[in-house]
Amino acid sequence: MNATTVKRVMSWGGALALAAVFLFAGVPKMLDPTLFGQSIHRYEMLPGWAVSLMAIYMPWLECCAAIFLLVPRYRRGASILIASMLVLFLAATTNALLRDLDISCGCFSRSGDEESIGGIHIVRNLALLALTSAVFWTSRRTPASG
Amino acid sequence: MSIAKQIILILAAALCLGSVANVLSPYRIPWSQDWSNRIADAARAAGLTVVDVHETKRRADDGSAMILDARPLTQYGEGHIPGAFSCPVETLEQSLPETLPMLIPDLPVLVYCTGKECDESMTLGTRLLSEGITNVLIFVGGYAEWQTASAEAAQ
């Protein structure tokens, strides 16, 4: 297996994994923006209007980025958006942990019945960020990436 | 296509779909709202009377309301407002038929759940209204605020 094939396999494998994660995270929130808004509100970081806008648009951004990640010519742009979201989630989680907020992550479940945020969420975000970087760099020189 | 154009296209797609969904979807939410008072606002709009911890304590002390705990039975077992009966929303189809015969005509019913963010008291309160119970009070602060007030009073 030559280097180009390895890169292509890594690019597709990473893109499929990230797309699955972000679709799994986005669809339930899309179906109940009220409960997702409550999850965002519990972080106590944003004013009400910003919570509403995030509750409305963030699930769609997660799903759109996930779908465009599966189209090679849009993969690099989608990777940057997904990395930006992961950095945002990382900042929110770290901020909440530093303030000792006992809240659920709101990452995958819209009901807020997940376990409380902790170091595992930071590690998970960092791992996803590393995967996103790998997808970005391995898609860079593939012929289909445009 | 440049990366910037790819990003703009994806953002535009999310913006359009999100906007359309929030206009047409049955799950749409207000474009801006006060999330800290979401339950209280919704409760008032549904016809419930919102009461604070002092009113709840007075009614718990003098028995001037039937108090219902809408949380799961396990949480009720770990602690509840004195005199409250359990009516878990998670098993409402079973718990409500058991609770309705216990209600005394003309005695207000006061419902509560975990705290300001929980929905169970709202669900139970609106269900009681639909069952023809007219005087339903909701303690939005819930058991969390009750515990805080009790701890402060004990000091």
Side-chain angles (χ1 to χ4, degrees):
Chain A
M1 192 182 284
N2 60 33
T4 307
T5 310
V6 170
K7 275 189 175 181
R8 187 169 290 178
V9 168
M10 280 181 66
S11 175
W12 269 105
L16 283 168
L18 279 173
V21 168
F22 271 75
L23 284 172
F24 184 64
V27 171
K29 297 172 193 166
M30 196 186 282
L31 294 176
D32 202 335
T34 300
L35 285 176
F36 179 46
Q38 275 183 275
S39 294
I40 301 170
H41 170 66
R42 290 191 191 104
Y43 281 85
E44 300 172 4
M45 288 176 71
L46 297 171
W49 61 268
V51 170
S52 299
L53 292 182
M54 270 197 84
I56 293 166
Y57 292 112
M58 183 61 80
W60 288 95
L61 186 57
E62 287 178 334
C63 291
C64 285
I67 290 166
F68 277 96
L69 202 59
L70 299 176
V71 183
R73 65 177 298 184
Y74 294 106
R75 188 166 293 160
R76 294 174 69 198
S79 302
I80 288 179
L81 280 172
I82 284 183
S84 305
M85 284 188 272
L86 287 169
V87 168
L88 183 72
F89 301 155
L90 202 54
T93 308
T94 307
N95 181 286
L97 282 174
L98 289 175
R99 289 186 294 146
D100 280 332
L101 294 182
D102 183 18
I103 56 175
S104 60
C105 167
C107 311
F108 295 100
S109 167
R110 59 199 160 99
S111 64
D113 56 2
E114 296 169 296
E115 62 182 31
S116 296
I117 52 167
I120 185 72
H121 295 95
I122 290 182
V123 172
R124 188 173 67 194
N125 273 332
L126 287 172
L128 288 171
L129 206 49
L131 183 61
T132 310
S133 304
V135 169
F136 180 85
W137 291 112
T138 51
S139 340
R140 193 174 184 185
R141 292 188 183 86
T142 53
S145 67
Chain B
M1 186 184 285
S2 70
I3 292 182
K5 282 183 181 171
Q6 293 174 33
I7 291 173
I8 289 169
L9 185 78
I10 299 168
L11 285 173
L15 201 66
C16 291
L17 290 169
S19 300
V20 169
N22 203 51
V23 170
L24 302 178
S25 162
Y27 311 114
R28 62 182 170 271
I29 61 173
W31 296 97
S32 179
Q33 65 176 306
D34 182 356
W35 288 85
S36 57
N37 289 323
R38 192 186 68 83
I39 299 290
D41 292 344
R44 286 190 193 95
L48 302 172
T49 303
V50 177
V51 296
D52 62 10
V53 67
H54 305 295
E55 173 82 1
T56 303
K57 180 164 181 5
R58 183 183 69 75
R59 289 184 179 272
D61 289 344
D62 65 16
S64 59
M66 174 86 158
I67 303 178
L68 297 180
D69 187 322
R71 300 173 300 159
L73 191 58
T74 50
Q75 290 183 21
Y76 173 84
E78 290 165 6
H80 55 266
I81 294 177
F85 292 90
S86 176
C87 185
V89 161
E90 64 177 4
T91 53
L92 196 59
E93 298 313 315
Q94 181 191 333
S95 57
L96 195 63
E98 292 170 1
T99 304
L100 286 174
M102 293 162 50
L103 302 182
I104 300 165
D106 300 328
L107 184 68
V109 179
L110 191 154
V111 296
Y112 73 94
C113 50
T114 313
K116 282 182 78 173
E117 309 287 352
C118 65
D119 282 17
E120 289 102 325
S121 55
M122 176 76 186
T123 305
L124 177 57
T126 50
R127 182 63 186 273
L128 288 169
L129 288 177
S130 72
E131 294 288 339
I133 313 296
T134 52
N135 197 355
V136 183
L137 318 175
I138 180 168
F139 171 34
V140 176
Y143 193 61
E145 191 176 330
W146 176 269
Q147 280 185 304
T148 304
S150 301
E152 285 172 0
Q155 286 174 356

